[in-house]
Amino acid sequence: MEELSELAQLARRSAELDIASEPEPLLRGYGLSKEAWLELQDRFLAQIADDLDRGETERANLFSATYEHRRGELLGAEHIANDNGDQLTAT
């Protein structure tokens, strides 16, 4: 179960870094170098890819849902675009 918590943390941090104009200060705040972050991210994404190859979706779904939730928190629902680029609006 600890691995799923780590994956959720990775997803939150990925969302934060993806929208940051200056990711280096965030990485320092996490106690990670850019290289360490990339290694951690690669490890978890490889595990997710292996899961998907076996038809297992739990980790992929957790990562995706957590990433999108955190991104929404940071940007606000009115700024989140769906996959085809159309802006979603808060209702």
Side-chain angles (χ1 to χ4, degrees):
M1 196 57 102
E2 184 175 321
E3 186 174 302
L4 292 179
S5 295
E6 288 180 56
L7 181 60
Q9 182 180 57
L10 177 86
R12 285 189 296 275
R13 289 179 175 179
S14 292
E16 293 166 1
L17 289 165
D18 285 351
I19 66 167
S21 57
E22 295 289 329
E24 289 79 12
L26 282 175
L27 286 171
R28 283 193 301 273
Y30 304 149
L32 295 169
S33 67
K34 183 177 180 179
E35 294 76 19
W37 168 252
L38 293 174
E39 287 177 23
L40 179 66
Q41 190 178 41
D42 286 348
R43 180 171 54 94
F44 274 104
L45 294 178
Q47 291 172 356
I48 290 171
D50 288 344
D51 286 354
L52 292 174
D53 286 344
R54 291 189 305 278
E56 298 172 11
T57 60
E58 180 182 18
R59 286 195 279 197
N61 291 340
L62 174 64
F63 183 91
S64 179
T66 305
Y67 178 94
E68 290 302 325
H69 178 78
R70 183 62 180 142
R71 188 170 181 263
E73 288 177 335
L74 295 168
L75 294 176
E78 66 276 6
H79 295 292
I80 299 174
N82 64 19
D83 288 342
N84 66 10
D86 293 336
Q87 289 292 324
L88 300 177
T89 55
T91 55

